[in-house]
Amino acid sequence: MMTLFRRAVLPLGLAAALFVLPSAVPAGQRSYAATHGAAPFVTEHLIPGSDLDLAQVDLTLPAAKVVALTIDDGPDANDPQILDILRAHGAKATFFYIGAKIPEHHGIARLVAASGNEVGSHTQTHPMTTDLKPTEREWNLAQAEKALASVGVQAAWFRPPYGDVDGALAALARHHGMATVLWTADSQDWKDTGPDVIRHRIVERLAPGAVVLMHSTKAATVAALPAILEEGERRGLRFVTMSEWEAAMRQSVTPELALLHPAPRRH
Ligand SMILES: [Zn+2]
């Protein structure tokens, strides 16, 4: 069996980690966010492998009125300007960095890491991870971990490139100390559309608990950011880091919803 073969070639500790961790997304199957554009607010699709059951989160509570902006593909020359915009609005974001780009933008990466925003891992080389052998996956995450450490970051979050993730990759990320997160709102800014289109796509899905996907590599995204933050403020939403988002979601778990939506059995 393919999965057994994969486990057999991995180091013992890693194989043990894969064995005990739940595989919410079956191995070899691309994520819901990758195939549908965005994930629903459901644990297995948004934060695969997490013990936080999003079905038990009461999104009407004041504590849940948070949005996580996630900004992928940096470090990038646009990052200092993004920091200024975030600061002007009292907002925070999470930057998912590509390890291979860190040496070239070392100063910027350090600046972002020290800014009070969060920095996560977006792998070393931005591959389609389900195409990789287990040893290549391990290399990619480990190299990114080293690159991030060179700017003082120990990532708590992992964003798979293209949302391409399976249960084994989410388990491997967890072995590296990272939770995996997809997104509920896709700016589709990589299509090189203008700021108005980007703003519209995000604002449509700007709601409590939203996780927004953007890219720091696009000037139009930077141009759209102030209006997105202003609209969020109008709706009483706070823009927080991924770790703050998770804390807010855990704080908003309610016993009533837990009874209505009991946690699914782990096999
Ligand atoms: Zn990316």
Side-chain angles (χ1 to χ4, degrees):
M1 222 169 99
M2 194 58 181
T3 50
L4 287 176
F5 171 72
R6 284 187 177 185
R7 278 175 192 154
V9 299
L10 291 169
L12 194 62
L14 186 51
L18 291 178
F19 188 72
V20 295
L21 286 162
S23 292
V25 183
Q29 187 180 312
R30 295 184 66 193
S31 75
Y32 191 97
T35 51
H36 294 71
F41 191 76
V42 170
T43 298
E44 66 170 319
H45 297 311
L46 184 57
I47 44 174
S50 176
D51 66 337
L52 168 61
D53 185 356
L54 293 177
Q56 300 179 358
V57 174
D58 183 352
L59 291 171
T60 66
L61 292 174
K65 295 193 89 176
V66 296
V67 169
L69 285 183
T70 63
I71 307 176
D72 290 10
D73 289 5
D76 188 272
N78 285 327
D79 289 358
Q81 197 189 343
I82 294 172
L83 288 186
D84 287 345
I85 296 168
L86 291 170
R87 200 175 294 121
H89 289 267
K92 284 184 192 167
T94 301
F95 293 75
F96 282 102
Y97 278 173
I98 299 169
K101 290 178 75 176
I102 289 177
E104 178 193 347
H105 298 289
H106 204 262
I108 285 173
R110 273 203 177 277
L111 187 72
V112 172
S115 67
N117 293 280
E118 190 158 12
V119 176
S121 171
H122 198 37
T123 72
Q124 178 70 6
T125 62
H126 207 272
M128 288 288 286
T129 46
T130 55
D131 290 346
L132 301 183
K133 295 182 184 119
T135 49
E136 294 169 333
R137 290 176 166 205
E138 166 58 23
W139 179 89
N140 225 294
L141 291 201
Q143 287 300 116
E145 193 172 357
K146 278 185 204 162
L148 288 166
S150 78
V151 291
V153 170
Q154 189 179 357
W157 293 90
F158 173 63
R159 164 65 52 72
Y162 317 102
D164 181 32
V165 62
D166 57 23
L169 181 65
L172 182 62
R174 193 162 292 277
H175 184 74
H176 282 267
M178 301 183 290
T180 296
V181 64
L182 284 304
W183 56 84
T184 64
D186 183 1
S187 65
Q188 298 180 40
D189 51 359
W190 51 271
K191 288 183 175 171
D192 284 328
T193 44
D196 285 346
V197 177
I198 292 169
R199 176 182 52 78
H200 180 72
R201 282 204 188 104
I202 293 175
V203 160
E204 265 186 335
R205 288 169 170 259
L206 212 50
V211 178
V212 177
L213 170 63
M214 325 172 70
H215 296 85
S216 53
T217 48
K218 302 292 177 187
T221 303
V222 183
L225 188 54
I228 292 163
L229 296 173
E230 280 155 26
E231 182 57 34
E233 287 159 20
R234 263 194 292 278
R235 297 181 188 184
L237 298 168
R238 291 176 294 118
F239 291 90
V240 298
T241 64
M242 273 319 309
S243 290
E244 290 166 342
W245 175 93
E246 187 189 26
M249 294 303 110
R250 287 190 188 275
Q251 201 185 327
S252 305
V253 167
T254 66
E256 292 79 9
L257 281 176
L259 284 174
L260 282 172
H261 305 281
R265 273 235 172 100
R266 302 288 189 206
H267 296 284

